[in-house]
Amino acid sequence: MILVTGGAGYIGSHACVELLNAGKQVVVLDNFSNSSRTSLERIRQICRKPLAVVEGDIRDQAVIEKTLREFGCTAVVHFAGLKSVFESVSSPLDYYDNNVIGTHRLLRAMQGCGIKRIIFSSSATVYGDPKFLPYTEDHPLGPVNPYGQTKFFVEQMLRDLFVSDRSWSIGILRYFNPIGAHESGLIGEDPKGVPNNLLPFVAQVAVGRRERLNIFGNDYDTPDGTGVRDYIHVVDLAQGHVAALASLDKPACFAVNLGTGRGYSVLEVVKAFEKASGRPVPYDLRPRRAGDVATCYAGTDLATKVLGGWRATKDLETMCRDHWRWQSQNPNGYDA
Ligand code: NAD
Ligand code: WQD
C-alpha cells in the first residue's frame, strides 16, 4: 500500500491513476485545501479500482502514523503542500508551515512506523537564476522566493536524514512545468481563483471564462522575445513517479529533473493551444513579471539513467489537446 499525500490535487490525482494502473494499492491523505473530493471519484471511475481516502493534514503526525499503520503502507509519495510562488511572497509563514513543518512531521511519522521509502515533489525553482542551461542536477541551488526556499529546505532535510541513516530510500523529483491532463478528460488542473500559471489561464480564455491572456514580457533574449519553459505532460510526470518507486527498491537518495529537455515560448504555447482547441486566445503584451527568468529547461540524462529508462514522450500538441479535453468537458472545474 502506498500513501499518497496531496493525492486529490492536480499532479497527485494523475499519479494515483498511474500507481493503480501499475497494480499498486493506494491510500490518499489530503486536507482538500486546494482540491475537490470529486477528483477521487474520477480516479475510481478511470481505474475501476478501490482507492482509500483519509481526510487529514500532513502537519498532524498522529493522523499520519495512524494511517500508515492502519493501511500497512510501505512507501509514501509526497505531493501535499502549497505551490504558489506569488502567494508565498505575501504569506511566507503559511508556506514554511505547510511545506517544511508538514514534511518534517510526515518524516517523523514515517520514522516512528519504520517506513523509510519516500518520493518528494520538488521543483525546478530550487535552481534559481540559470548559471548555465540546460539545468542539470549539479547546477548550483539558489531559490529566489519563499516557495522555492521551502522546496530547498525539504530537499536538504531529506539529504541530512539519509546521511544519518542510510537505510532510507529517498527520491527527490524536480518538476519543470507540468501541463495537460489525463486523456479521458476526467481529471485535470482546477485552480482556485485567477490562475497564476500559463496553461490554466490560456485554457480558461479559450473556453470563454476569461477574456484575454496577459503575456508577461516580449523583450527577453529568446527567439520571439517571450519566456521559454520546459512543459511536461502530467501523465509523463506521473509515470516518472512509478519509475522512481521501482528505483527505490534499495536504499538510495537521489534528486532528478522531470522535464522533456526542450523549451517552448509563451507564443508557441498560445499557438499550439489555439490549434488544439480550435478557439482563439486573444492576448495583450505586458511588462515582464517580477522573478521570471528568460529560459528554463531540463537536462534529462540523469533521470533516464536513475529511473530505469523513463523519459517524457508526449509532445506539446498532445499536452494541449489533453488539457483542452479536460477544460472543455469541465469548463468550471470539478464542482461546477
Ligand atoms: P495541488 O495544489 O493541485 O495539489 C496539492 C494537494 O495537497 C492538494 O490536494 C491540497 O489540498 C493538498 N494539501 C495542501 N496542503 C496540505 C496539507 N497541509 N495537508 C494535507 N494536504 C494538503 O498542487 P500540484 O500542482 O498537484 O502540486 C503537487 C506538488 O508538486 C506540490 O508539492 C507542488 O509544490 C509540487 N510542484 C508542482 C508544480 C506545478 O507546476 N504544478 C511544479 C513543481 C512542483
Ligand atoms: C510560464 C511562462 C510567464 C502566466 C511556475 C513556478 C515553478 C513551478 C511551475 C511549482 C512564463 C508566462 C504566465 C500568464 C504569461 N511551480 N506567463 N502569462 O513561472 O515557469 O513556473 O510554475 O513548483 O516553481 O515558478 O510557470 O506557468 O507561471 O509561466 O505570460 O498569465 O508563461 O511569464 O514565461 P513558471 P508559469
Side-chain angles (χ1 to χ4, degrees):
M1 179 70 81
I2 313 291
L3 173 65
V4 178
T5 73
Y10 173 44
I11 303 170
S13 57
H14 288 82
C16 286
V17 167
E18 297 307 319
L19 288 166
L20 290 168
N21 284 347
K24 309 285 183 201
Q25 292 182 306
V26 174
V27 53
V28 166
L29 183 126
D30 204 300
N31 67 1
F32 300 104
S33 59
N34 196 38
S35 53
S36 158
R37 283 166 190 76
T38 310
S39 70
L40 303 170
E41 276 313 314
R42 301 277 181 88
I43 296 168
R44 294 188 185 103
Q45 200 180 330
I46 292 168
C47 298
R48 299 184 186 285
K49 287 186 180 169
L51 173 71
V53 180
V54 173
E55 180 165 357
D57 196 295
I58 52 164
R59 291 164 293 183
D60 185 343
Q61 193 178 322
V63 163
I64 303 168
E65 281 190 22
K66 184 165 177 283
T67 306
L68 290 171
R69 289 212 165 89
E70 202 171 297
F71 288 89
C73 297
T74 53
V76 175
V77 186
H78 176 35
F79 295 100
L82 304 180
K83 64 161 178 178
S84 160
V85 170
F86 179 71
E87 197 181 62
S88 78
V89 175
S90 54
S91 308
L93 296 185
D94 289 344
Y95 276 68
Y96 287 107
D97 191 25
N98 273 274
N99 296 4
V100 181
I101 295 175
T103 305
H104 176 265
R105 300 259 162 81
L106 171 67
L107 292 170
R108 274 266 194 245
M110 291 175 68
Q111 199 175 40
C113 300
I115 297 159
K116 298 185 177 180
R117 200 147 51 117
I118 183 165
I119 295 176
F120 171 61
S121 302
S122 189
S123 167
T125 196
V126 295
Y127 294 120
D129 295 331
K131 307 274 183 279
F132 55 80
L133 286 169
Y135 286 107
T136 46
E137 288 80 355
D138 57 0
H139 186 285
L141 303 181
V144 295
N145 54 64
Y147 167 71
Q149 294 281 14
T150 67
K151 293 293 176 188
F152 172 75
F153 288 146
V154 170
E155 284 201 6
Q156 199 51 48
M157 184 157 57
L158 290 167
R159 283 188 282 266
D160 290 341
L161 179 60
F162 184 71
V163 168
S164 76
D165 176 355
R166 290 184 184 266
S167 65
W168 278 79
S169 300
I170 298 171
I172 295 167
L173 305 183
R174 295 179 181 150
Y175 311 157
F176 279 66
N177 292 58
I179 63 169
H182 188 262
E183 62 174 0
S184 63
L186 288 169
I187 56 174
E189 187 168 12
D190 181 17
K192 291 196 159 88
V194 182
N196 292 316
N197 295 116
L198 179 64
L199 251 289
F201 205 109
V202 166
Q204 290 190 7
V205 172
V207 84
R209 254 171 89 174
R210 301 189 186 275
E211 276 187 13
R212 301 173 76 80
L213 170 72
N214 290 317
I215 294 186
F216 300 131
N218 69 334
D219 57 353
Y220 284 108
D221 183 15
T222 60
D224 64 23
T226 64
V228 168
R229 296 291 182 274
D230 185 339
Y231 299 95
I232 175 170
H233 197 297
V234 67
V235 171
D236 276 334
L237 189 80
Q239 288 170 352
H241 293 70
V242 178
L245 210 50
S247 303
L248 290 176
D249 58 352
K250 51 190 175 309
C253 179
F254 60 75
V256 295
N257 293 334
L258 295 190
T260 66
R262 81 154 286 183
Y264 288 97
S265 74
V266 176
L267 283 172
E268 284 175 311
V269 170
V270 169
K271 276 201 198 90
F273 205 89
E274 285 183 323
K275 189 163 173 237
S277 64
R279 303 277 184 95
V281 178
Y283 60 81
D284 297 311
L285 297 172
R286 300 281 184 204
R288 295 180 180 192
R289 186 173 68 175
D292 273 352
V293 298
T295 303
C296 169
Y297 60 96
T300 58
D301 291 349
L302 187 66
T304 301
K305 190 169 153 216
V306 171
L307 305 183
W310 172 88
R311 63 176 73 245
T313 59
K314 296 179 192 297
D315 60 14
L316 183 63
E317 196 183 325
T318 309
M319 299 183 215
C320 290
R321 205 177 47 231
D322 290 344
H323 204 114
W324 174 242
R325 191 177 302 106
W326 151 255
Q327 185 71 65
S328 54
Q329 289 179 19
N330 306 269
N332 294 308
Y334 283 114
D335 297 320

